[in-house]
Amino acid sequence: MKLKISQVGESVLRQPARPLSAEEILSPPIQQLIELMRDTMQDAPGVGLAAPQVGLPLQLAVIEDRLEYHREIPAEQLAARQRVPIPFHVLINTQLSITQASEVAFFEGCLSLTGFMALVPRALAVHVQCMNERGEPRVIEAEGWYARILQHEIDHLNGTLYIDRMAARSFMTSMNYTRLWQEKAVEQVRAELGLS
Ligand code: ZN
């Protein structure tokens, strides 16, 4: 079964999400929500989904970047993005800190902004403290595309969307991204779009 994904303009996407208690994490409704979010993310398909995106202002997100999503992407693009498969996992009550402040910009999209993409600068590496689906503490050190996914999903838990961070002139439909820009290096895209 899959859940309805909230689209930009719904206030739940702009609220800070609340933390979950250890008791809540282990409760049947939250365990069921995690399963439904997993199904919804895989069905979309997407590499991450945060609870506010399914209408719930809770500090809970799921992430999974499957090898099958990489098959259509040229090897040099995967390498430039430092994108490698990430197994399914759950993030609860997250605290993110930047460990490598230098930023890199790549196109990203969001399941709550269907049909659009933009260049978004993100820190290269992050450190995340959170809990897993059993309420156990977890520490994540991430870099590259995984660090980007974490920043994107944890932004959702703070009511922030990629459009708040994007290079505004690069905002475009996913169709035009695929048609016109996908094959180009980011430096070339920046030059052609008038982004210094
Ligand atoms: Zn998103």
Side-chain angles (χ1 to χ4, degrees):
M1 206 180 101
K2 61 176 195 140
L3 302 165
K4 182 170 176 280
I5 301 180
S6 302
Q7 293 296 307
V8 63
E10 296 191 39
S11 58
V12 67
L13 292 171
R14 291 313 203 168
Q15 290 166 21
R18 75 161 175 87
L20 291 169
S21 68
E23 199 179 353
E24 280 180 300
I25 294 168
L26 299 173
S27 71
I30 294 296
Q31 292 295 313
Q32 193 193 7
L33 173 64
I34 291 168
E35 287 309 308
L36 290 172
M37 285 176 63
R38 179 182 193 157
D39 291 349
T40 305
M41 173 178 65
Q42 290 175 345
D43 181 80
V47 296
L49 186 69
Q53 294 184 274
V54 294
L56 299 166
L58 305 173
Q59 281 191 32
L60 164 65
V62 294
I63 287 178
E64 181 183 34
D65 194 359
R66 306 174 85 158
L67 183 61
E68 63 186 81
Y69 302 155
H70 299 188
R71 294 216 178 99
E72 305 289 303
I73 305 171
E76 63 271 19
Q77 273 202 29
L78 291 172
R81 285 159 180 69
Q82 294 178 262
R83 184 167 172 181
V84 294
I86 303 295
F88 175 84
H89 63 291
V90 178
L91 309 159
I92 296 168
N93 302 347
T94 57
Q95 281 194 304
L96 178 140
S97 50
I98 305 286
T99 47
Q100 250 193 77
S102 55
E103 289 188 329
V104 60
F106 286 112
F107 277 95
E108 63 181 67
C110 177
L111 297 175
S112 294
L113 282 129
T114 304
F116 294 96
M117 299 189 69
L119 276 175
V120 183
R122 301 271 188 197
L124 268 174
V126 296
H127 167 99
V128 174
Q129 281 180 284
C130 63
M131 283 193 254
N132 67 10
E133 69 277 17
R134 292 180 296 280
E136 299 158 345
R138 284 285 176 264
V139 172
I140 300 169
E141 301 291 345
E143 58 179 2
W145 202 255
Y146 181 33
R148 177 171 294 267
I149 299 170
L150 285 163
Q151 289 169 80
H152 180 117
E153 298 311 325
I154 293 169
D155 268 355
H156 275 301
L157 305 182
N158 295 311
T160 298
L161 298 171
Y162 80 76
I163 49 175
D164 305 334
R165 300 188 185 276
M166 69 181 177
R169 293 175 69 92
S170 69
F171 188 62
M172 61 179 64
T173 64
S174 307
M175 208 177 284
N176 277 341
Y177 169 73
T178 306
R179 198 166 65 91
L180 303 167
W181 303 97
Q182 192 174 29
E183 310 293 325
K184 296 182 180 175
V186 170
E187 301 75 50
Q188 192 185 346
V189 173
R190 294 182 67 85
E192 290 186 37
L193 292 173
L195 291 155
S196 62

